[in-house]
Amino acid sequence: ELKVEQNPLFLSMQEGKNYTIYCNYSTTSDRLYWYRQDPGKSLESLFVLLSNGAVKQEGRLMASLDTKARLSTLHITAAVHDLSATYFCAVVYSGGGADGLTFGKGTHLIIQP
Amino acid sequence: NAGVTQTPKFQVLKTGQSMTLQCAQDMNHEYMSWYRQDPGMGLRLIHYSVGAGITDQGEVPNGYNVSRSTTEDFPLRLLSAAPSQTSVYFCASSYIGNEKLFFGSGTQLSVL
């Protein structure tokens, strides 16, 4: 059974600071997704990481994947209030399809002025 | 471009009532799925479909039925609602072989 653990589950930080959200998973996978969810809203795809060493960046967010360590990170640089949201990672076990996508519990991020 | 459309957005049911949550997508995606989201639990897969006429169970299928008569539509039926089914339900779709899911706006369901 694939298990996906995110930490921290809750993070309050100040604007302008840097921080990293971690996503660990338990079995072999080479595909990992990051989603963002605003309060009361749906999930929006942020990044798709498809290979070991993959790095994707958009604005102040950068995601990376280390398949050997079974770890992905979502790094926030110089945080701004608009990035306040819940961030989910989702992992597919090797050989699986979308039905094998397992989500972490989410990291609730609050960025304060 | 509508994407994935879910109705209703909110619903209150009494225990034992039945209802259908509707989901439609206009992207010609083969794969469609239903998730439920509960506080502190992330998203859990209820049922999914890889094409018209094909459905299968996910992680938490009990108490729910689905059907897929067309590529576009994937309704979720609650046969006899229970308070444990109080949750937010999301429909999602994607192309086969690509797990980047497109989500609907969600249905907040309360069962009293």
Side-chain angles (χ1 to χ4, degrees):
Chain A
E1 178 188 354
L2 175 58
K3 294 185 179 180
V4 180
E5 293 188 356
Q6 286 183 238
N7 69 83
L9 297 181
F10 181 83
L11 175 60
S12 179
M13 56 190 293
Q14 289 184 319
E15 280 191 327
K17 299 292 186 181
N18 303 334
Y19 210 81
T20 300
I21 299 170
Y22 298 88
C23 175
N24 291 90
Y25 53 95
S26 61
T27 62
T28 302
S29 172
D30 54 9
R31 305 196 298 285
L32 189 140
Y33 300 79
W34 283 97
Y35 288 87
R36 168 179 172 152
Q37 185 180 34
D38 292 308
K41 303 293 185 182
S42 187
L43 281 79
E44 174 189 359
S45 177
L46 287 175
F47 299 110
V48 178
L49 302 169
L50 299 177
S51 62
N52 186 42
V55 177
K56 295 282 184 71
Q57 183 166 4
E58 182 168 336
R60 301 174 187 274
L61 299 178
M62 183 174 71
S64 65
L65 178 61
D66 182 343
T67 58
K68 294 179 181 178
R70 298 179 184 169
L71 171 68
S72 179
T73 60
L74 180 65
H75 186 73
I76 303 155
T77 302
V80 293
H81 178 69
D82 287 352
L83 292 178
S84 296
T86 299
Y87 293 86
F88 292 93
C89 64
V91 182
V92 182
Y93 59 83
S94 292
D99 57 292
L101 199 62
T102 300
F103 283 80
K105 294 184 178 180
T107 296
H108 184 48
L109 175 64
I110 296 176
I111 299 170
Q112 299 177 351
Chain B
N1 190 349
V4 180
T5 303
Q6 281 183 243
T7 57
K9 292 188 181 300
F10 302 95
Q11 183 70 49
V12 179
L13 294 177
K14 294 181 180 179
T15 297
Q17 287 184 317
S18 63
M19 79 158 296
T20 299
L21 307 185
Q22 301 291 344
C23 176
Q25 53 90 11
D26 61 359
M27 296 173 282
N28 204 30
H29 286 165
E30 304 97 338
Y31 179 85
M32 296 187 73
S33 55
W34 279 100
Y35 287 86
R36 60 178 288 172
Q37 183 178 31
D38 301 294
M41 296 291 290
L43 278 79
R44 293 181 292 169
L45 182 64
I46 304 171
H47 284 284
Y48 65 96
S49 168
V50 296
I54 306 170
T55 63
D56 208 341
Q57 297 180 349
E59 180 184 356
V60 288
N62 292 341
Y64 307 96
N65 274 0
V66 292
S67 60
R68 184 96 178 267
S69 57
T70 66
T71 300
E72 293 79 17
D73 300 298
F74 191 46
L76 178 72
R77 297 184 187 83
L78 281 71
L79 306 175
S80 178
S84 61
Q85 293 178 305
T86 293
S87 187
V88 179
Y89 292 85
F90 287 100
C91 179
S93 69
S94 71
Y95 292 110
I96 293 288
N98 183 343
E99 298 89 9
K100 178 180 176 181
L101 292 171
F102 292 81
F103 283 85
S105 57
T107 297
Q108 187 168 331
L109 175 67
S110 295
V111 183
L112 306 178

